[in-house]
Amino acid sequence: MIVRVPKSLHGTAPDIGESGESYVLRDFERSRIAAIREAIAENPALATLFYVAAVALWTGLLSAGAGLHGDPRLAVNLTPHVAHYTIILGFFLYPLRLIWIPFLVYLATFLYPFYQPFSAAIAWHDLPGMTPGLVGMLFLIHLVGGLLTGLLYRMVYATGRGRMRPHSLDLFISFSGYFIFAAMCLLHWAAMVRLAATLPVEHRALYGFSDDYTVLAIKRILRGSVVVSVFLLAAVESPRAGQLLRTVGLALIFPLMVPLQAAGIGLYAQIDVIIVALVVVLTNPVGVGVHACIFGVAAYAALTGEFLNDTAALSPAEGMLSAYSLIGLTLVTFTMVLKGQGDHLIKEKDGAILKLDRARDFAGVGLFAVNHDTGRFRLDEAAQRMLGLPSDGPISVLEATFMPADGSALSAALHAARGEARALELHMASAAGAANVLRCYLWTERTPSGETAAYGILLDMTEAKDREAQLRDALDQLSRREEKQRQLFSIISHELRTPASVISLLTDELGEGTDGARLHRKFREATDQLLSVLDDMRQAVNPEKNLPVKLVPYIPADLAESVRAANEVPARAKGIAVGLDLGAGAAQARIGDVVRVRQALNNLVRNAVIHSGGRSIVIRWRAAEPMAEFMPTSEWQIIDDGVGIPDADVARLFEPFERGGADPRKTPDGSGLGLYIARASVQMLGGTLDHFRPDGGGAGYVIRLPEAHATEGQIQTAAATAAVWTKGTAADRAWSVLLAEDNVLVAEITRARLEKVNAVVHHAADGRAALQMALAIQPDVIITDLFMPEMDGDDLIRALRAAGLDRPVIGVTAAVVGEEMDRFRRAGANVVMRKPLDFERLRGYLRDGFPAAAPTDG
């Protein structure tokens, strides 16, 4: 499989096995030469416009300078041509498919000196023996030499990619370009010498092939090497937008040297320029220095002819100065390359440090240093924010920032043996009083000046510690919840096994012919206990499934008597008397949810009967101060004279499943949900339920409920219902019922009970059979279980409603903690009951009518 590298990745830094933060955080490099090549390939027209403009300016200026101030002879000026770099850089930078562009540009610039007007000598095209064939031969020599030089540049660049970092490779091309250009131009010089041998002897001097040609040609070749190297460097290093004016100002220094030198100020003209160029390069960013020298020296050369005056030295001293100038140009070039690399490395490291500082600051990592000899510390900005200290100060202030034990540990670590590293956890008090936690890593070493210093890193671990604490709390809660679940299963096992065992024993007695009336009462007690436990479980596990609040008029005195009577028998069995203490107004009707109030009172009285170990329980009611503005308040109290509640257990009284223990109040009876459900019921009504310790000992509970006084109209209409009723079915005549129940035993018992109220029962053992039977016989009432073979009860109701059957439907289910009852309601049942079927409610519906079914969701 061939994976194509996106063009945007060309010239990026290769993976050469580097690592460490300086590698990770340094800028992602991209070769400037590669970027130029891509720009030319993507927009050759714009690139060529700049290319032609630069070539024309350079060629025109230097050709004019050579013609006016230097030796205008052909041989030296074509070894190499002033625009020889045009074909070299063009072949190096342009894609091969566009190589014809630099070819044409080079052809035009090559011919320009043959016709340029700025010269007092004979124009080259007018030289004797100058023929198109000779011009073509000169062009061919330059073209071949330029193409070979550009090809070598391409080869060196391709070899370096993957082995060198992009910026280093760009600088290496500039550095090696000097030597490649010089070597290829020496071959060019040899070709020119061979060409000179073909010319007539009398023409050779006119063409410039004199005795000093070789020396002058080598000087020109070396200057040309400098020019090409600097041009490549200029492509890599460029001034930023904000540095352009600075670059122009520095470039103007060079032409301003002309009048100073004319006034006799300076040493040797070329050396003066080289010294200024070195100063400009060394004291400015490399991009500014390179471009200032290129344009400044070019302007200076055009004005004075210096660096272009390829003539023989008039004296040995002048020849030596000229050689020093050439060496100086080379030195300036190499200085530019080295400074470019140095500036880049410094910028890269500074950038990596800055990014590392930002990352540390964002992550809450601070740095500090301590000098033992001076007794001072230093902090970075992140550490200053963590500790609330200035950037420097005495060590004692740093140590005092932490708690005493931690400050001592820090002091010991700061004075540890040289080279030792330690990790500490330090605690400090914040302004809010909460303890901030810092992790400190420090080590000691000797500074170059011989002092002992410690350096460290601070990590703010406060949030991590808080999350750790929260996690521990969550795990503790999960553990407690798991324990509650274990208790729940244990309680369910105990509470269900007890009545189930009683029922099993009673069944055995029934087979032995024992008194039926006594057995009936015991059966009822056992089943009531079983159903009570299941009801408690449902309210504890799914409180949101409780019936909605229903406020109706009720008389507190009647409710108190009803609760007393309901608990009198089990209380008498334990030798406990249940009494009433009713205050003024107990006989006046109040508006409240009598079902929930009764449940809460029953739970409290039952709890006292089971757990108090006392001899009396008092149910007390009185009118209390309003809980809310203008809202009358009822206050109920349940007080026993038993063992009371230890202070350590009061906080857990209203938690679910709190039961068991050695003393009488913790006897393992009941579900452990009575108080929890009582408080939940009261809170749903906007009231409160709290424990208190009566003056005479024992335990007391107080319920406070906002309950308005009932008006006469509310009392008279209390029996009315807001529900919409459908036509009822009289219970004093035969009526048909379809019973959908898959459990054979339950179906038989239910059939027998229904037949006692004049019902004609049709039984279906699965949902699909019940659907067919209901559509066929059109029964007066349909009673269906939820989970059945073939079709569940809620799907059966939907199918019946979809078929247009609007007969009353009663949904029954054994589930008390799931969503089964809601499934019936959403399907369109008129009534939903928990098993066993409540025949008293059924008789009421047969007498008064069934409530309307809720709209079906299907």
Side-chain angles (χ1 to χ4, degrees), residues 61-73 77 116 118-121 258 298-311:
L61 284 176
L62 296 192
S63 295
L68 295 175
H69 305 287
D71 186 348
R73 290 179 299 173
N77 285 282
Q116 72 112 354
F118 304 105
S119 177
V258 175
Y300 175 85
L303 292 174
T304 63
E306 297 291 344
F307 304 108
L308 304 174
N309 187 9
D310 295 317
T311 57

Side-chain angles (χ1 to χ4, degrees), residues 416-653:
R418 182 164 55 93
E420 184 177 351
R422 294 192 183 185
L424 303 174
E425 185 172 290
L426 307 175
H427 299 77
M428 55 180 294
S430 68
N436 291 340
V437 183
L438 304 180
R439 182 67 56 81
C440 175
Y441 301 91
L442 59 87
W443 65 97
T444 58
E445 62 182 47
R446 191 170 297 278
T447 66
S449 60
E451 299 173 324
T452 302
Y455 302 92
I457 296 174
L458 291 174
L459 303 178
D460 192 342
M461 304 296 293
T462 305
E463 291 186 7
K465 289 293 183 180
D466 290 344
R467 287 193 295 269
E468 182 181 346
Q470 292 171 2
L471 179 60
R472 283 198 302 268
D473 291 343
L475 291 175
D476 289 343
Q477 291 178 9
L478 288 175
S479 178
R480 289 194 296 270
R481 186 174 300 174
E482 185 179 2
E483 179 62 27
K484 295 293 186 185
Q485 290 176 346
R486 283 196 294 267
Q487 293 179 13
L488 171 63
F489 291 132
S490 175
I491 292 168
I492 290 175
S493 174
H494 175 272
E495 295 299 324
L496 296 184
R497 179 173 294 277
T498 299
S501 299
V502 172
I503 292 172
S504 177
L505 293 173
L506 293 175
T507 303
D508 292 340
E509 287 189 34
L510 186 63
E512 297 172 357
T514 308
D515 177 37
R518 186 178 65 83
L519 287 179
H520 177 271
R521 179 174 58 80
K522 292 185 177 294
F523 264 117
R524 172 54 59 192
E525 291 176 356
T527 55
D528 285 348
Q529 181 182 356
L530 178 62
L531 295 176
S532 175
V533 170
L534 293 176
D535 249 354
D536 285 351
M537 297 299 174
R538 176 185 62 79
Q539 293 191 58
V541 176
N542 273 340
E544 68 278 3
K545 303 299 181 183
N546 294 337
L547 295 175
V549 173
K550 184 178 182 181
L551 302 179
V552 297
Y554 81 96
I555 297 175
D558 294 345
L559 177 58
E561 176 58 31
S562 172
V563 172
R564 187 198 66 77
N567 291 276
E568 184 177 19
V569 173
R572 186 184 305 123
K574 288 199 172 189
I576 301 175
V578 181
L580 301 179
D581 180 8
L582 304 177
Q588 297 177 356
R590 299 263 179 155
I591 298 294
D593 190 330
V594 67
V595 175
R596 283 188 168 80
V597 176
R598 184 193 308 276
Q599 180 186 42
L601 293 174
N602 273 322
N603 284 359
L604 293 174
V605 173
R606 182 171 181 268
N607 183 75
V609 169
I610 295 173
H611 300 299
S612 71
R615 289 293 176 262
S616 69
I617 299 172
V618 177
I619 303 173
R620 179 177 295 164
W621 182 94
R622 69 183 183 88
E625 294 295 326
M627 293 181 63
E629 187 176 2
F630 306 121
M631 175 62 73
T633 297
S634 295
E635 181 178 288
W636 295 88
Q637 293 183 6
I638 307 297
I639 303 172
D640 65 65
D641 61 352
V643 295
I645 310 294
D647 293 338
D649 294 338
V650 170
R652 299 184 295 111
L653 275 178

